[in-house]
Amino acid sequence: MLEGNEQQLDEIVSSFRRISHAFQQLLWKDAEELEITPTQLMVLRKLSVHPEIGITELAELLHLGNSAASGVVDRMVKAGLITRQRSESDRRSFKLSMTDKGIEIRERSKQSLRRHLLPLSTIPIEDAGELLRIHGEIVKILEQGRDKKKL
Amino acid sequence: MLEGNEQQLDEIVSSFRRISHAFQQLLWKDAEELEITPTQLMVLRKLSVHPEIGITELAELLHLGNSAASGVVDRMVKAGLITRQRSESDRRSFKLSMTDKGIEIRERSKQSLRRHLLPLSTIPIEDAGELLRIHGEIVKILEQGRDKKKL
DNA sequence: AATATATATTTCGCATGCGAACTATTTTAC
DNA sequence: GTAAAATAGTTCGCATGCGAAATATATATT
């Protein structure tokens, strides 16, 4: 992959930028009609699978920094989508839960996402599998490299 | 790809979020030691291939909105990386060019990017090709869908 | 028990990116 | 040639995400 010249490297970088961008656009389309943002929708999704988690755990699930997670949570509390309650056992941390409004949007999002991913259904199932596999490889490599540098 | 249940959809979305994130991290590592941001570095790259372009053209090359491009350019001018001169022929538009400082950073970035993409060289060359191909497919589909809705 | 250290969260200043509303030119139409 | 429509940029308010510094609470050390 690396013997490529300058232009091939640029192609790879551009491809990633572009795919990220295009996918982000799709997620916005999806979230827009629910009157919420993609990140906030993702928070609802995670919260429905992992209820009662704190901000640090949420940050890990979303691969975000703590400060970013804190900000999202703050805006979502203000928007009445989730609740932030001090934990009894550990008064440093919070327990996040969805409000009724949050639950409702999360439910509606199930159909919504499906509808917006529809155009992608023309992609052969093997390709989808390959994509996920290669993405997995890349993420593994990149996150490994990052952790190494931390030590 | 679509017959999947809710959880598979979530996997796809998560994969994209994660790969985008990991790649963004890599680009930051790359740009950091050049004391510049990834987006600004990309501007320099584009400018070295397409000199004298205006802001709208730059925005298209980077797949950005005009306002975003305008902001980046503004910060780069302030940082002394590029120049923004009114065009003689069309006084609405600008001609962007790199300063000596910009050129120097862009030169140094060639080795830098190569070094940071090094960990990815363990990925088989076929996989890299497959990845670019599938990304291309997806982008085509997504951007097609977006354009349709515009009409 | 007192001190040091670790953990959970917030706040700050920054860059990015969006869409919408606005200004200034240029082109098109009548 | 003047009015209307298109085009190039900017500005605004917003949400996102970062890292670093701060606060509060919990745990470990001595």
Side-chain angles (χ1 to χ4, degrees):
Chain A
M1 184 167 184
L2 243 219
E3 16 343 303
N5 57 25
E6 173 69 7
Q7 187 159 358
Q8 278 175 309
L9 287 180
D10 212 74
E11 200 184 322
I12 293 165
V13 175
S14 286
S15 171
F16 269 106
R17 276 186 65 96
R18 197 156 176 195
I19 196 85
S20 302
H21 185 261
F23 202 73
Q24 194 64 26
Q25 296 281 81
L26 179 123
L27 292 182
W28 267 101
K29 281 270 157 31
D30 178 45
E32 217 164 48
E33 30 193 88
L34 301 169
E35 288 177 313
I36 196 178
T37 66
T39 299
Q40 297 187 4
L41 193 49
M42 190 57 91
V43 170
L44 293 182
R45 280 198 237 279
K46 293 299 180 191
L47 230 50
S48 75
V49 181
H50 310 87
E52 300 262 305
I53 55 175
I55 290 185
T56 304
E57 291 139 290
L58 181 66
E60 275 163 16
L61 287 173
L62 296 179
H63 312 294
L64 289 182
N66 274 1
S67 64
S70 177
V72 182
V73 164
D74 206 52
R75 286 183 291 271
M76 289 181 78
V77 168
K78 275 181 192 143
L81 296 167
I82 61 176
T83 305
R84 183 176 40 186
Q85 284 178 299
R86 280 286 175 197
S87 159
E88 291 295 319
S89 49
D90 185 342
R91 298 173 58 72
R92 289 170 302 181
S93 66
F94 287 111
K95 284 181 180 170
L96 304 174
S97 2
M98 290 192 274
T99 62
D100 289 347
K101 186 177 170 190
I103 291 171
E104 189 235 320
I105 291 183
R106 192 264 174 287
E107 284 305 317
R108 279 201 287 139
S109 81
K110 290 181 183 175
Q111 297 107 48
S112 170
L113 181 60
R114 209 174 288 273
R115 195 165 61 252
H116 280 92
L117 286 181
L118 203 62
L120 290 184
S121 58
T122 55
I123 290 186
I125 188 91
E126 321 79 73
D127 281 3
E130 273 291 278
L131 185 73
L132 288 181
R133 184 183 65 74
I134 301 175
H135 275 189
E137 292 290 328
I138 292 177
V139 165
K140 208 192 303 174
I141 291 170
L142 293 183
E143 293 188 348
Q144 225 170 40
R146 195 196 49 185
D147 293 345
K148 258 183 207 161
K149 274 163 200 163
K150 266 189 184 170
L151 302 179
Chain B
M1 185 167 181
L2 243 217
E3 354 13 286
N5 57 25
E6 174 67 8
Q7 188 160 358
Q8 278 176 308
L9 287 179
D10 212 74
E11 199 184 323
I12 293 166
V13 175
S14 287
S15 170
F16 268 107
R17 276 186 65 95
R18 197 157 176 195
I19 196 87
S20 302
H21 185 262
F23 202 74
Q24 195 63 26
Q25 297 280 81
L26 179 124
L27 293 181
W28 267 101
K29 282 269 156 32
D30 178 45
E32 218 164 47
E33 32 195 85
L34 300 169
E35 289 177 313
I36 196 179
T37 66
T39 300
Q40 296 187 7
L41 192 49
M42 191 56 91
V43 171
L44 292 182
R45 279 198 238 279
K46 293 298 181 192
L47 231 51
S48 77
V49 180
H50 310 88
E52 301 259 307
I53 56 175
I55 289 185
T56 302
E57 291 138 291
L58 181 65
E60 275 163 16
L61 288 172
L62 297 179
H63 312 293
L64 290 181
N66 271 4
S67 64
S70 176
V72 181
V73 164
D74 208 51
R75 287 184 290 272
M76 289 181 77
V77 167
K78 276 181 190 142
L81 296 167
I82 60 176
T83 305
R84 183 175 39 186
Q85 284 178 299
R86 280 285 176 197
S87 157
E88 290 295 320
S89 47
D90 184 342
R91 298 173 58 72
R92 289 171 302 182
S93 66
F94 287 111
K95 284 181 180 172
L96 304 174
S97 2
M98 290 192 272
T99 62
D100 288 348
K101 187 179 171 189
I103 292 170
E104 188 234 322
I105 290 183
R106 192 265 173 287
E107 284 304 318
R108 280 201 287 140
S109 81
K110 290 182 184 174
Q111 296 107 47
S112 170
L113 181 60
R114 209 174 288 272
R115 195 164 62 252
H116 281 92
L117 287 181
L118 203 62
L120 290 184
S121 59
T122 55
I123 291 185
I125 187 94
E126 321 79 71
D127 280 4
E130 273 292 278
L131 185 74
L132 289 182
R133 183 183 66 75
I134 302 176
H135 275 189
E137 293 290 327
I138 293 178
V139 165
K140 208 193 301 173
I141 291 170
L142 294 183
E143 293 188 347
Q144 223 170 41
R146 196 196 47 186
D147 291 346
K148 258 182 206 159
K149 276 163 198 161
K150 267 188 185 172
L151 301 181

